[in-house]
Amino acid sequence: MKNFNLEKIVRENIRNMKPYASARSEFDGKANVFLDANENSFGSATIELYNRYPDPLQKKLRQKIAVIKKVKDSQLFLGNGSDEPIDLLIRASCDPGVHNIIIMPPTYGMYEVAAAINNVEIKKVDLTTAFEIDTEKVLTAVDEKTRIIFICSPNNPTGNVMNQNAIKEILNNFNGLVVVDEAYIDFALDKTIVGELSAYPNLVVLQTFSKAWGLAALRLGLCVASEEIIDLLNKIKSPYNINTATACLVSEALDDDSFIKKTVSNIISERKNLALKLSQLEQVEKVFESDANFLLVKMNQAEELYRYLMECGIIVRNRSHEKHCEGCLRITIGTKEENEKLINTIKEFKK
Ligand SMILES: *Cc1c(COP(=O)(O)O)cnc(C)c1O
């Protein structure tokens, strides 16, 4: 959308409000006596010191991540998981009980939950049975109250990357935010849409450290978009949303890309291996193509198999009640040993 105007889709109260001014955001000069934030000047109840509030805008960490993601740090928002920007984007643009968002089932559950919490209507336009975007239906579903279209690519739970031309058609024809959730993009980096940010002022891309980086417990998600959109998110986020422990540990992780390189390649090769082994089992009807760290697998007795696996101590995700996913289980790629155990356990499943 060339004449996209962010102002027009920001809620009036958000546009008019003044953000919270924290002690650390009011003072960022040099000092060595900090008596401004009611912190504990004597130290922390832990060995490591955590008595000082963190940088509200995570300047250093953002600069470091921006280099790796090849974007400007002003185009980067850091969140307490990518679930935080999902919620903030809805809260910034949708008046409760007035505006709506569009999602494309089967997809990630948090868009719907975040909208429901905010009393924002959810319009569902199913993906096709081949799990592709039905562009025409999506654009027809848009009305004057539609503020956000969520696209998950690679999609959870189906694993496929969405056609980039379909995404661009939506970007070109929708005068609201198009949020592309790339939580699994590190497994298919050449397919990221981040390179299109300068062409589309209404594009917002979400990524996370929870999957390929193996840092789910630290809760760090990121949102890449125009500087204007990033400023908006920073205006309404809670002041110290990224804690110091997370910032330090992630910063450390960024210094060495050998882990992510090695594990992404391991996971991709295990995925291929597991897909092949699964497809040879009589209990399996179909293994869907995946660009992520999981496989969607259609079983001939999904419910029974799911319960049987659970009794054997193997937990997978039952997705058989999701749109177009009848009989499907979602299986995360495990280690070689875990995958072998899964295959051998399924082989023992009596029909
Ligand atoms: C796992 C997942 C996320 C959650 O990411 P966090 O950064 O851990 O909050 C977001 N989107 C999708 C599609 C996911 O599967």
Side-chain angles (χ1 to χ4, degrees):
M1 207 19 95
K2 294 278 178 297
N3 52 1
F4 172 70
N5 184 350
L6 183 65
E7 286 271 293
K8 281 202 179 142
I9 62 147
V10 174
R11 293 165 64 192
E12 198 180 340
N13 61 309
I14 301 286
R15 236 184 295 136
N16 296 337
M17 66 168 268
K18 264 208 172 104
Y20 174 69
S22 63
R24 282 304 120 82
S25 63
E26 289 202 329
F27 177 82
D28 65 353
K30 283 233 173 322
N32 42 35
V33 180
F34 288 96
L35 303 176
D36 59 341
N38 298 345
E39 298 152 337
N40 191 328
S41 302
F42 294 79
S44 307
T46 50
I47 294 165
E48 295 276 335
L49 288 179
Y50 292 110
N51 54 327
R52 299 298 175 185
Y53 280 105
D55 172 8
L57 291 174
Q58 314 98 17
K59 240 190 199 147
K60 281 191 195 140
L61 184 60
R62 271 206 297 162
Q63 279 165 358
K64 221 163 160 177
I65 295 174
V67 171
I68 287 173
K69 297 292 174 185
K70 300 188 179 75
V71 296
K72 287 190 239 157
D73 50 352
S74 57
Q75 288 180 293
L76 190 60
F77 169 86
L78 299 185
N80 183 358
S82 41
D83 290 342
E84 185 183 12
I86 291 171
D87 176 63
L88 291 179
L89 287 160
I90 293 175
R91 276 201 279 156
S93 62
C94 300
D95 282 317
V98 177
H99 297 113
N100 66 69
I101 65 160
I102 293 178
I103 65 169
M104 302 174 204
T107 194
Y108 185 48
M110 273 310 288
Y111 317 131
E112 185 165 357
V113 171
I117 291 170
N118 290 295
N119 189 24
V120 166
E121 187 198 342
I122 300 135
K123 290 191 173 207
K124 295 182 181 179
V125 181
D126 299 341
L127 292 175
T128 67
T129 50
F131 302 140
E132 292 291 346
I133 299 174
D134 193 331
T135 317
E136 210 178 298
K137 274 202 189 133
V138 170
L139 291 172
T140 312
V142 169
D143 61 31
E144 72 283 3
K145 303 275 192 243
T146 307
R147 290 284 164 96
I148 306 180
I149 297 177
F150 280 98
I151 298 171
C152 190
S153 177
N155 187 40
N156 177 2
T158 61
N160 59 309
V161 168
M162 294 297 148
N163 181 304
Q164 210 167 100
N165 288 329
I167 301 178
K168 285 180 185 171
E169 198 175 334
I170 292 173
L171 281 161
N172 278 323
N173 293 288
F174 172 55
N175 212 345
L177 298 173
V178 178
V179 178
V180 181
D181 184 345
E182 294 189 335
Y184 299 96
I185 204 65
D186 295 303
F187 301 101
L189 256 188
D190 53 320
K191 294 171 180 163
T192 178
I193 200 161
V194 162
E196 298 296 328
L197 277 166
S198 54
Y200 298 98
N202 54 337
L203 173 61
V204 179
V205 183
L206 304 179
Q207 295 186 2
T208 181
F209 283 90
S210 296
K211 309 285 157 68
W213 287 86
L215 299 172
L218 295 183
R219 311 304 304 130
L220 192 72
L222 48 104
C223 171
V224 196
S226 71
E227 200 169 326
E228 234 188 329
I229 295 173
I230 298 307
D231 287 348
L232 173 68
L233 295 179
N234 279 325
K235 179 178 177 181
I236 64 171
K237 78 183 181 74
S238 62
Y240 304 110
N241 61 329
I242 307 301
N243 70 74
T244 301
T246 293
C248 288
L249 289 166
V250 172
S251 179
E252 216 176 285
L254 292 169
D255 290 335
D256 181 4
D257 63 0
S258 61
F259 174 85
I260 184 164
K261 276 199 174 138
K262 192 176 76 209
T263 52
V264 165
S265 113
N266 278 345
I267 288 167
I268 291 173
S269 88
E270 275 305 314
R271 182 180 74 204
K272 204 170 149 195
N273 201 12
L274 182 63
L276 179 67
K277 296 238 175 76
L278 283 167
S279 65
Q280 292 164 344
L281 299 177
E282 56 176 325
Q283 293 86 353
V284 171
E285 272 180 39
K286 179 169 184 176
V287 181
F288 291 90
E289 284 287 322
S290 171
D291 267 313
N293 64 343
F294 58 84
L295 289 168
L296 187 71
V297 187
K298 190 169 168 73
M299 306 288 185
N300 42 37
Q301 286 176 287
E303 302 281 348
E304 293 86 344
L305 185 60
Y306 170 72
R307 278 196 299 273
Y308 159 79
L309 285 173
M310 195 147 60
E311 280 160 21
C312 299
I314 299 177
I315 318 298
V316 298
R317 203 85 199 267
N318 184 2
R319 297 284 85 177
S320 51
H321 302 289
E322 302 291 309
K323 192 76 197 179
H324 301 324
C325 294
E326 296 77 14
C328 289
L329 302 181
R330 192 194 71 192
I331 303 174
T332 304
I333 310 301
T335 61
K336 196 169 198 57
E337 295 69 32
E338 289 170 333
N339 299 335
E340 268 164 20
K341 190 167 175 198
L342 171 77
I343 293 290
N344 292 333
T345 309
I346 298 179
K347 277 184 184 162
E348 298 292 307
F349 176 64
K350 299 285 177 291
K351 280 197 184 180

